[in-house]
């Protein structure tokens, strides 16, 4: 037990001993006449001094609210003790007049001031934080409770003292009234205190120190007259110091343990006060005389009733406000549940509900599904903030084009929809209107957005899922046909799409069961047909479908993300095979091995590490690996750019594939660390045609000529792709190209077939070294020996 606990317990025991001693003396005085009547007045000041001493340690509390309250209590107890000490001295010096002598004015003033200080200290304790209507409600509740309780105490306490057979002095009745006032104020106050540094039990006990003795004294005065002053002074009033010291002890216990208070405060007190204020009225109804004390209660009852009416009016207004707020929140929540938070359009849930309702009612319905083309590029290059603003702008355009007749929806991501209902809904007209809208620059960044639109008309017996599936198939078909277009679903359209999706679903199984093979297309010198490199290509040997074309499964791999593990497999196999060729044929056997890299792979943060691991595991030197990247892949954001520059710093050669087909070819040659430029097949086709018109031939060769000149100026190597005839070889040699690839030069073949070619080249080189320099092998002979079959 702490020192403070021992101190408060000691004071409780001491004040209780004083009260017990007063009780013993009073009994002795009233039974055998022991001692003087004036002795009854000494017990209150002695107990008061002990109570003041017990309060004093709390006046140094850390919390300012608690410190202020207990200082007020200390001052109040000290003043009351001084007043009753004055009274005790006065009574002892005038012992023969003790029964009829009244409390002197100075003593009564000190005591009254003490009660008022206690009341102020109590009033300054903060109550529950509130504002607006709640603050007015609490104020009215406290007024109702105070007036109701005060009216009852007036009726049963003070009023009977005024009309008693032996009325007490005005000083005594004033002090009794102040004591009752403090008790009522405390009861009203404590009900609205929410926690805080001052304990609620402590406040109740301190207030009871004034209220309980005052109530008991009033009853004694009415019942027994002047003789009641002896038990009042010796037995009843010494209880006040005991209650104060108990309050101090309660505060000490509360400071050592967390206090718990109910969530709602003062709920029942106003109703209890209304019941109490009606007690005197009930008494009058049963025959009690209607005297002036009752009239005071009647006035109090009227005031309480008026306050109750005001409170109910405020409560009704607050309830109405809360109801409006609840309805507004409900409407807002319903809107949020059924609408997209970014664009404000209806969301997928509302879309399905409206479509379900239309199908259930057998009303004509059609769905337009709108998918923005290449929206990911906007997020990658300009950031997601610009992408979000673009989606908002698209939604505004869509809302304006659709109007109130149909429902515009954001399905999710960059996908939107329109639900058309009614017999006059024509999806083709709206789709053409939307394509025209998207043909103009949009958003604050003036971006040109294209969209693929698919339409599905609900047939009899259609379900929500079937209509949406048909619209999805139509959108997919629109994208397959080149994007930025409109397709309406017809029966049977979903079969190739389903086959494409099933193909994508089989890719993972194919990876797990090693159904993919790597083949290699030779890259040769055009002047002597010597194989100087190969390009690795992947083939899928399906157990049921046979050989699946890359044009079929590569897009599915891109869409599903399986292009990353598939590309990792091709990378590791190519590096392994290239290292094996290097070990078998030496550094002059094959200069470099290349493979294609997709944009999805470059976006993978582990791609550079995968390349480094493949080179390290295989032992292939970095400079013998070529990674081919298309122009569209290069333009896919900062992650791709960082990956390409990291690869270039490793010593890996980068090739710009299909050069000339993109929109930014020339700028890429300066921004992209390319070492090789591969002329696209479209500029090789027809380059050899001689129709007798020099101007037409120059036009066909213009791009090829410009590319070779630009590459030479920038110090880049060139490879011509798609060579299919000896005439094309001759034309390219005339333009300055020295390296090429194509079906005429060599079809994609297995690693063993490439090994055969390299073996032929190595033997030819050895034979050439055995012949004297004067009889060096001619290029034509070497070309015939090295050219692959077919």
């Amino acid at each position: 037990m702490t020192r403070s606990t021992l101190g408060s317990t000691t004071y409780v025991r001491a004040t209780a001993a004083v009260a017990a001693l007063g009780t013993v003396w009073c009994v002795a005085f009233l039974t055998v006449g022991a001692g003087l009547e004036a002795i009854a007045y000494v017990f209150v000041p002695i107990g008061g001094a002990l109570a003041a001493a017990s309060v004093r340690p709390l006046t140094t509390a850390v919390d300012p609210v608690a410190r202020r309250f207990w200082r007020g209590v200390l001052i109040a107890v000290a003043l009351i003790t001084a007043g009753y000490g004055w009274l005790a001295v006065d009574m002892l010096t005038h012992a023969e007049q003790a029964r009829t002598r009244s409390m002197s004015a100075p003593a009564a003033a000190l005591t009254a001031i003490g009660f008022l200080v206690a009341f102020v200290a109590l009033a300054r304790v903060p109550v529950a934080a509130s504002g607006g209507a709640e603050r007015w409600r609490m104020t009215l509740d406290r007024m109702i409770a105070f007036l109701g309780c005060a009216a009852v105490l007036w009726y049963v306490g003070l009023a009977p003292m005024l009309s008693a057979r032996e009325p007490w002095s005005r000083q005594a009745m004033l002090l009794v009234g102040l004591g009752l006032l403090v008790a009522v104020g405390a009861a009203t106050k404590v009900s609205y205190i929410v926690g805080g540094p001052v304990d609620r039990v402590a406040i109740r006990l301190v207030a009871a120190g004034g209220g309980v003795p005052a109530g008991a004294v009033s009853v004694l005065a009415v019942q027994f007259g002047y003789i009641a002053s002896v038990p009042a002074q010796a037995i009843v009033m010494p209880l006040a110091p005991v209650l104060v010291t108990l309050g101090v002890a309660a505060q000490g216990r509360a400071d050592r343990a967390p206090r718990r208070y109910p969530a709602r405060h003062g709920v029942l007190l106003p109703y209890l006060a209304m019941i109490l204020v009606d007690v005197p009225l009930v008494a009058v109804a049963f025959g009690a005389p209607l005297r002036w004390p009752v009239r005071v209660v009647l006035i109090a009852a009227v005031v309480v009733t008026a306050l109750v009416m005001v409170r109910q009016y405020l409560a009704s207004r607050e309830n109405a406000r809360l109801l409006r707020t609840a309805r507004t929140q409900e409407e807002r929540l319903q809107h949020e549940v059924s609408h997209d938070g970014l664009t404000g359009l209806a969301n997928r849930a509302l879309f399905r509900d409206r479509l379900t309702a239309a199908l259930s009612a057998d009303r004509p319905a059609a769905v337009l599904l709108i998918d923005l083309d290449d929206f990911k590029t906007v997020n990658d290059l300009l950031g997601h903030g610009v992408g979000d603003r673009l989606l908002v702008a698209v939604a505004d355009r869509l809302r304006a084009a659709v109007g109130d007749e149909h429902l515009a929806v954001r399905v999710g991501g960059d996908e939107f929809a329109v639900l058309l209902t009614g017999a006059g809904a024509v999806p083709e007209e709206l789709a053409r209107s939307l394509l025209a809208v998207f043909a103009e620059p949009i958003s604050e960044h003036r971006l040109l957005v294209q969209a693929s639109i698919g339409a599905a008309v609900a047939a009899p017996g259609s379900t929500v899922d079937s209509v949406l599936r048909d619209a999805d198939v139509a959108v997919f078909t629109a994208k397959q046909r080149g994007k930025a277009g409109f397709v309406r679903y017809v029966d049977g359209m979903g079969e190739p799409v389903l086959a494409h999706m099933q193909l994508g679903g089989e890719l993972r199984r194919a990876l797990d069961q090693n159904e993919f093979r790597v083949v290699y297309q030779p890259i040769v010198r055009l002047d002597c047909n010597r194989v100087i490199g190969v390009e690795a290509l992947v083939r899928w040997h399906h157990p049921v479908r046979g050989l699946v074309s890359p044009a079929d499964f590569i897009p599915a791999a891109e869409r599903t993300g399986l292009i990353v593990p598939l590309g990792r497999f091709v990378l590791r196999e190519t590096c392994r095979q290239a290292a094996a060729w290097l070990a078998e044929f030496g550094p002059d056997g094959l200069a470099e091995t290349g493979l294609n890299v997709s944009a999805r792979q470059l976006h993978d943060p582990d791609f550079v590490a995968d390349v480094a691991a493949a080179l390290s595991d295989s032992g292939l030197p970095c400079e013998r690996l070529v990674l081919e990247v298309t122009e569209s892949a290069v333009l896919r954001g900062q992650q791709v750019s960082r990956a390409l520059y990291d690869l270039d710093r490793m010593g890996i050669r980068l090739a710009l594939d299909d050069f000339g087909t993109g929109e930014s070819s020339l700028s890429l040659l300066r921004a992209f660390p390319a070492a090789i430029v591969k002329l696209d097949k479209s500029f090789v086709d027809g380059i050899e045609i001689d129709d007798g018109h020099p101007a037409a031939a120059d036009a066909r060769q213009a791009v090829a000529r410009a590319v070779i000149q630009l590459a030479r100026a920038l110090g880049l190597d060139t490879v011509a792709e798609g060579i299919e005839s000896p005439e094309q070889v001759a034309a390219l040699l005339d333009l300055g190209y020295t390296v090429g690839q194509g079906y005429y030069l060599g079809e994609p073949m297995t690693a063993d077939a490439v090994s055969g070619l390299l073996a032929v080249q190595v033997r030819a080189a050895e034979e050439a070294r055995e012949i004297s320099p004067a009889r060096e092998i001619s290029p034509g002979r070497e070309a015939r020996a090295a050219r692959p079959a077919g």
Side-chain angles (χ1 to χ4, degrees), residues 428-467:
E428 288 82 0
E429 293 182 3
L430 181 57
R432 285 192 291 269
S433 174
L434 292 176
L435 289 175
V437 167
F438 292 140
E440 300 177 0
I442 196 172
S443 86
E444 60 192 69
H445 295 85
R446 308 301 294 165
L447 300 176
L448 190 61
V449 179
Q450 293 180 329
S452 298
I453 303 178
V457 178
S462 297
T463 64
V464 173
D465 291 334
S466 66
V467 175

Side-chain angles (χ1 to χ4, degrees), residues 646-662:
D646 289 343
L647 295 169
D648 179 63
R649 283 190 290 269
M650 290 170 57
I652 297 171
R653 304 185 75 202
L654 301 177
L656 198 56
D657 198 14
D658 301 334
F659 186 78
T661 59

Side-chain angles (χ1 to χ4, degrees), residues 48 120 406 427 444 487 622 651 696 713 767:
V120 171
H406 308 299
E444 60 192 69
V487 171
C622 295
E767 293 175 2

Side-chain angles (χ1 to χ4, degrees), residues 498-536:
L498 179 61
H500 188 84
M501 293 180 178
Q502 290 175 342
L503 185 67
E506 295 180 17
L507 282 172
R508 170 52 66 185
R509 179 194 54 78
L511 279 170
D512 295 338
Q513 298 184 8
N514 297 320
E515 295 178 5
F516 291 99
R517 300 289 182 270
V518 179
V519 296
Y520 304 90
Q521 185 174 30
I523 299 174
V524 303
R525 288 187 59 84
L526 299 180
D527 56 354
C528 62
N529 276 2
R530 179 180 178 82
V531 178
I532 63 171
V534 293
E535 178 182 351

Side-chain angles (χ1 to χ4, degrees), residues 295-539:
R295 291 189 176 92
V296 173
V297 176
L298 289 174
I299 295 173
V302 172
V303 174
V304 167
T305 303
L307 293 176
V308 170
M309 293 176 62
V310 174
R311 186 193 182 284
Q312 290 302 110
Y313 172 71
L314 292 178
S316 63
R317 288 185 56 186
E318 180 66 11
N319 291 338
R321 185 188 66 81
L322 293 175
L323 183 59
R324 289 194 301 271
T325 302
R327 288 175 178 172
T328 302
Q329 291 178 345
E330 182 181 1
E331 293 174 356
R332 179 175 58 82
L333 290 175
Q334 289 179 348
H335 184 274
E336 291 179 353
V337 168
S338 59
H339 288 75
D340 176 57
L342 176 65
T343 63
L345 295 178
N347 61 13
R348 181 189 293 269
L350 182 58
F351 177 49
R352 291 183 66 91
D353 290 344
R354 295 284 182 87
L355 181 56
T356 301
L359 295 178
S360 301
D362 290 331
R363 287 182 294 166
V367 171
L368 283 182
L369 207 57
I370 305 156
D371 192 286
L372 303 184
D373 297 331
D374 302 320
F375 178 76
K376 187 177 184 299
T377 304
V378 177
N379 280 337
D380 291 341
L381 297 181
L382 302 179
H384 289 274
V386 175
D388 287 345
R389 289 192 288 275
L390 178 60
L391 291 175
V392 173
V394 170
D396 292 339
R397 293 280 183 94
L398 182 62
R399 188 184 293 108
V402 172
D404 298 331
E405 185 179 357
H406 308 299
L407 180 66
V409 183
R410 184 190 178 197
V411 179
D414 61 345
E415 194 174 26
F416 297 83
V418 179
L419 174 61
L420 300 89
T421 55
V426 182
E428 288 82 0
E429 293 182 3
L430 181 57
R432 285 192 291 269
S433 174
L434 292 176
L435 289 175
V437 167
F438 292 140
E440 300 177 0
I442 196 172
S443 86
E444 60 192 69
H445 295 85
R446 308 301 294 165
L447 300 176
L448 190 61
V449 179
Q450 293 180 329
S452 298
I453 303 178
V457 178
S462 297
T463 64
V464 173
D465 291 334
S466 66
V467 175
L468 295 180
R469 183 180 63 248
D470 293 346
D472 275 326
V473 169
V475 168
F476 186 86
T477 305
K479 286 186 174 294
Q480 292 292 101
R481 293 179 181 178
K483 303 180 180 180
F486 164 73
V487 171
R488 176 169 175 165
Y489 179 83
V490 295
D491 292 339
M493 183 179 288
E495 294 178 2
V497 175
L498 179 61
H500 188 84
M501 293 180 178
Q502 290 175 342
L503 185 67
E506 295 180 17
L507 282 172
R508 170 52 66 185
R509 179 194 54 78
L511 279 170
D512 295 338
Q513 298 184 8
N514 297 320
E515 295 178 5
F516 291 99
R517 300 289 182 270
V518 179
V519 296
Y520 304 90
Q521 185 174 30
I523 299 174
V524 303
R525 288 187 59 84
L526 299 180
D527 56 354
C528 62
N529 276 2
R530 179 180 178 82
V531 178
I532 63 171
V534 293
E535 178 182 351
L537 304 170
V538 64
R539 296 293 184 263

Side-chain angles (χ1 to χ4, degrees), residues 758-783:
L758 295 178
V760 171
Q761 290 187 170
V762 169
R763 286 196 301 271
E766 291 175 350
E767 293 175 2
R769 283 193 294 269
E770 292 175 357
I771 301 174
S772 63
R775 297 177 58 193
E776 187 174 338
I777 187 170
S778 66
R781 177 181 175 185
E782 182 178 351

Side-chain angles (χ1 to χ4, degrees), residues 25 36-44 229-231 233-234 238:
W25 177 87
L36 299 173
E37 183 177 340
I39 296 176
Y41 294 90
V42 302
F43 298 104
V44 174
S229 60
V230 174
Q233 294 291 334

